[in-house]
Amino acid sequence: MLPDFRNTESLISASHRPEISQEFNWINCWYPIIFVQDLPQKRPYGFSVYDEPLVLFRDANGKFGCLQDICPHRTAKLSQGQVVDGKLECLYHGWQFNANGKCLHIPQLSPGSKIPHNACVKSFTVIERQGIVWMWPGNAEESDEKLIPVLAELDDPKFIKTDYLLDLPYDQSYFIENVIDPAHFPINHNGKRFKRKDAQPLEMEVIDVSSRGIRGRYRNQQTNEPWVSLEFIAPNLVRYASWKEQSLFGGADLYSIPTGRGKCKILLRNYDSVLTWRNKLQPRWLEHCSRHFILEGDAELIREQQMQIENLAKSMKELFLPLKTSDVLVIEYRKWLDKYGIDLPFYQGYETSNLNGVLQSVEIGNRFTRHTQICNSCNRVHQISNRVKQSFIIAAIILAAIAMITENYQARIIGVSLFILSLSIASAAQKVKILLERNYLRQYITTEKIN
């Protein structure tokens, strides 16, 4: 029996609130910033939302503080500073601020002098929910924690979750369009998880559309497989969910942050109640390497798609040739932007847009800059692999020298054996280091016959 999709609203706390207005206010929304486990422990974390530079840090009591990333003294970036005794200190002149943006210390002031009342930084409401730090850019008095799209199952210990984050060189709307398009998986991601031969017509349905987002579902038309629920929860979450005997057993939450025009950051959370022991014990950094295959496979293609659409200066309605068996949800999302995205700083709807000037090409970057250096797990493994490589190269050089100068045959054999072992370990460490630095290179199929 298929699940009753009228009841899927109960999975999302933000989905069952009453519809007060059909207007969408992008300021009075929660934005996911970073997984708590990836937040730097001893330094501030700089980020942006719609090109507005911001900085996140913890005070001495562990409370999160989110401020504009600009010092009121001489406009230096506070994210380049440090956290001293729970206060955010500007690296330029040492001005210190608390989590509310109040200036507490100015080294250059004479003893007894009062700190100027306007020596403060605008602060924003931040909160942690289910291992993610959320930020409310609007009025603090209007923030409502109930609007954070939590998933009750993630608090159930039987659900194993894996978290992954990545910077992408294209706009948030193109990321959302991409991930609500299951038809491209077998073609663009042909490999370990998907096969080109599995590409087929999809049966797609839009269940509900409102200012809160879009609820839909899809299934393979030919094999008549169970429905998969697919939701866009405005403004930054796409949720996949699968059921077994009407119980949720797995899915994915794909959060996106509009860091600026032509770029975004994503936070991907997979969860499953039927993972094998191998998957449960797999190191986080190794699981991330398999994620790169999917998202890096899209990066260059979507970046070029965005540039091409903007350069042609035509609407998507004029440029697209959508199919009912693959593009229903994609077109519905772009139409949602036409209706509800008019106040966004920038957007590209199906017929309308709010874009000023031609977008400058955003560099695609490499895996290290887009993921490893902002991922706590992968960054730690990268540092360890680099140290291991350097240490064993030095050891190999020393062992080679000893083997050459010793006259004892047995000692020479041992020295050569250890020399080879040291080089092997250094080589393995280098391979891990490269894996965490270089982008996935697409392998094009030239000989496979496609029916």
Side-chain angles (χ1 to χ4, degrees):
M1 180 182 292
L2 295 177
D4 183 357
F5 278 77
R6 292 172 298 179
N7 295 329
T8 58
E9 289 185 346
S10 62
L11 294 173
I12 305 162
S13 63
S15 292
H16 53 71
R17 66 185 189 270
E19 184 71 51
I20 298 173
S21 170
Q22 284 296 309
E23 295 182 0
F24 174 72
N25 187 337
W26 68 272
I27 294 178
N28 286 335
C29 293
W30 289 102
Y31 288 80
I33 303 306
I34 191 171
F35 294 115
V36 174
Q37 62 182 319
D38 291 315
L39 185 66
Q41 296 298 310
K42 299 180 180 180
R43 57 184 175 84
Y45 174 73
F47 66 100
S48 62
V49 175
Y50 287 117
D51 285 321
E52 175 72 23
L54 302 163
V55 59
L56 182 71
F57 70 103
R58 287 182 188 265
D59 67 12
N61 298 317
K63 175 186 174 182
F64 290 112
C66 181
L67 311 177
Q68 278 189 324
D69 194 8
I70 181 170
C71 181
H73 177 215
R74 298 263 291 279
T75 67
K77 291 180 73 67
L78 293 172
S79 59
Q80 295 178 348
Q82 58 187 339
V83 179
V84 179
D85 298 326
K87 297 181 286 291
L88 180 58
E89 181 180 273
C90 178
L91 189 64
Y92 201 4
H93 293 91
W95 289 31
Q96 295 181 348
F97 305 88
N98 66 10
N100 296 321
K102 181 180 179 181
C103 185
L104 300 179
H105 177 60
I106 298 179
Q108 293 78 25
L109 280 181
S110 303
S113 299
K114 289 186 178 180
I115 295 176
H117 72 277
N118 58 347
C120 56
V121 184
K122 184 178 180 180
S123 65
F124 299 89
T125 301
V126 283
I127 194 170
E128 177 193 345
R129 282 293 180 273
Q130 295 190 326
I132 296 175
V133 181
W134 297 81
M135 171 251 189
W136 179 274
N139 219 325
E141 289 74 22
E142 298 181 43
S143 64
D144 184 353
E145 297 176 19
K146 294 180 181 179
L147 301 184
I148 297 175
V150 297
L151 186 67
E153 279 73 7
L154 292 179
D155 294 324
D156 187 337
K158 79 176 182 181
F159 279 84
I160 305 299
K161 63 180 182 292
T162 55
D163 296 337
Y164 169 90
L165 73 171
L166 184 72
D167 283 324
L168 291 174
Y170 46 84
D171 187 77
Q172 177 196 39
S173 67
Y174 284 85
F175 170 74
I176 293 174
E177 174 190 301
N178 174 246
V179 296
I180 62 175
D181 170 29
H184 84 280
F185 295 157
I187 301 297
N188 198 39
H189 302 306
N190 175 65
K192 293 181 180 180
R193 300 189 182 188
F194 304 98
K195 302 296 181 183
R196 290 175 63 87
K197 62 182 179 61
D198 294 330
Q200 57 184 282
L202 298 176
E203 184 177 358
M204 312 188 88
E205 293 183 2
V206 175
I207 299 170
D208 180 59
V209 180
S210 70
S211 62
R212 299 190 303 265
I214 302 167
R215 290 194 302 123
R217 60 179 181 175
Y218 75 94
R219 64 180 175 181
N220 289 329
Q221 195 176 79
Q222 296 175 347
T223 57
N224 202 32
E225 294 179 357
W227 291 97
V228 175
S229 169
L230 202 169
E231 298 179 87
F232 161 61
I233 302 170
N236 44 43
L237 172 60
V238 172
R239 172 167 287 160
Y240 278 82
S242 299
W243 281 263
K244 187 176 184 180
E245 297 177 356
Q246 299 198 44
S247 296
L248 183 69
F249 75 93
D253 281 3
L254 300 105
Y255 306 91
S256 53
I257 314 163
T259 52
R261 186 175 172 193
K263 56 186 179 179
C264 68
K265 183 189 296 292
I266 66 163
L267 281 70
L268 167 61
R269 169 167 283 171
N270 286 91
Y271 51 92
D272 205 322
S273 62
V274 292
L275 282 175
T276 64
W277 278 106
R278 180 184 172 215
N279 290 333
K280 291 179 181 179
L281 297 174
Q282 182 175 241
R284 186 179 180 226
W285 72 271
L286 196 57
E287 196 273 339
H288 286 182
C289 291
S290 66
R291 297 289 167 202
H292 296 318
F293 170 77
I294 302 295
L295 290 158
E296 290 179 356
D298 286 328
E300 182 65 25
L301 187 152
I302 299 174
R303 185 183 71 134
E304 293 299 326
Q305 175 200 19
Q306 176 177 262
M307 292 296 298
Q308 185 146 274
I309 288 173
E310 295 207 16
N311 288 334
L312 290 171
K314 293 183 179 181
S315 71
M316 289 182 167
K317 185 177 181 179
E318 296 175 279
L319 296 171
F320 284 10
L321 185 62
L323 299 176
K324 186 178 181 181
T325 51
S326 65
D327 306 306
V328 170
L329 295 172
V330 168
I331 302 304
E332 195 65 49
Y333 168 63
R334 290 296 179 179
K335 288 181 177 179
W336 185 93
L337 288 173
D338 285 332
K339 186 173 184 179
Y340 301 109
I342 189 169
D343 289 328
L344 289 170
F346 42 81
Y347 80 96
Q348 175 72 59
Y350 194 51
E351 299 182 64
T352 64
S353 65
N354 178 20
L355 302 175
N356 297 316
V358 178
L359 174 67
Q360 298 298 314
S361 179
V362 178
E363 290 297 324
I364 192 169
N366 56 42
R367 185 175 294 175
F368 180 80
T369 58
R370 293 188 298 112
H371 171 79
T372 299
Q373 70 177 2
I374 58 176
C375 170
N376 183 47
S377 302
C378 293
N379 195 16
R380 184 171 60 251
V381 172
H382 181 268
Q383 292 176 15
I384 292 173
S385 63
N386 193 41
R387 288 197 295 267
V388 169
K389 183 194 77 169
Q390 293 175 352
S391 298
F392 278 90
I393 286 177
I394 293 172
I397 293 172
I398 294 173
L399 289 166
I402 292 173
M404 285 189 291
I405 64 176
T406 185
E407 296 181 358
N408 185 292
Y409 177 75
Q410 187 175 5
R412 182 174 296 175
I413 293 297
I414 294 174
V416 170
S417 299
L418 292 175
F419 165 77
I420 294 173
L421 177 61
S422 296
L423 282 184
S424 298
I425 294 174
S427 176
Q430 174 66 4
K431 288 180 180 179
V432 171
K433 182 173 176 289
I434 290 174
L435 187 64
L436 297 169
E437 292 175 344
R438 298 184 185 176
N439 292 339
Y440 157 75
L441 296 177
R442 181 183 300 279
Q443 301 296 319
Y444 290 94
I445 296 175
T446 56
T447 58
E448 181 180 346
K449 182 179 179 181
I450 304 173
N451 295 323

